[in-house]
Amino acid sequence: MFKQIIAVALAFFAAAAFASVDINKANQAELEAVKGLGTVTAGKIIEERKKGEFKNWADVQQRMHGIKDARATKLSSAGLTVGSEAYQSTGIVAPAKGKGKKAAKMADKASDAKASKKKAAQQ
């Protein structure tokens, strides 16, 4: 009997540890409990939420500086949800910071050159 009580108690603790935290409903402490969210980010989420609830993960990424694809994936796997929805990666990679337009143009040219070379080799 004692072992069963302990097993049930442990099951409840495990469920609580992996429980999802909705970004629109959680208080400061609940947000901070999500691995990867600190005090500052939790506070910014609450401040941004005062302007209106987050509609979806894309809305979170647009309104919250520093939450992009990789971080959204980590936060979602740690239990953070938006309207009870986990994050689904779009697969679109944002350009690296500090690269500027010149670097982007150079990367495009290199990509075009590779494509042209491949097409010429196929013909």
Side-chain angles (χ1 to χ4, degrees):
M1 178 70 175
F2 182 70
K3 288 182 182 180
Q4 290 174 338
I5 292 172
I6 290 179
V8 170
L10 289 175
F12 281 122
F13 285 123
F18 293 108
S20 64
V21 176
D22 192 305
I23 198 168
N24 289 317
K25 297 176 184 172
N27 61 30
Q28 177 91 18
E30 291 169 333
L31 288 170
E32 288 176 18
V34 175
K35 184 178 179 183
L37 280 182
T39 305
V40 174
T41 305
K44 288 179 181 180
I45 288 171
I46 290 174
E47 285 300 313
E48 192 63 34
R49 200 170 60 193
K50 289 178 182 176
K51 298 175 186 175
E53 287 192 348
F54 293 102
K55 297 173 187 153
N56 52 37
W57 276 101
D59 189 30
V60 172
Q61 290 177 311
Q62 183 180 22
R63 293 167 52 187
M64 292 298 303
H65 176 73
I67 299 180
K68 301 301 177 218
D69 192 58
R71 189 164 182 206
T73 301
K74 289 178 184 177
L75 292 173
S76 182
S77 65
L80 190 66
T81 62
V82 179
S84 301
E85 295 292 323
Y87 179 69
Q88 300 288 326
S89 177
T90 60
I92 299 171
V93 179
K97 288 185 178 182
K99 292 294 180 182
K101 291 181 181 179
K102 187 175 180 180
K105 284 183 182 179
M106 290 175 60
D108 286 343
K109 285 182 182 179
S111 178
D112 291 343
K114 285 181 182 178
S116 297
K117 213 179 221 186
K118 188 174 182 180
K119 188 175 181 181
Q122 289 176 349
Q123 293 177 350

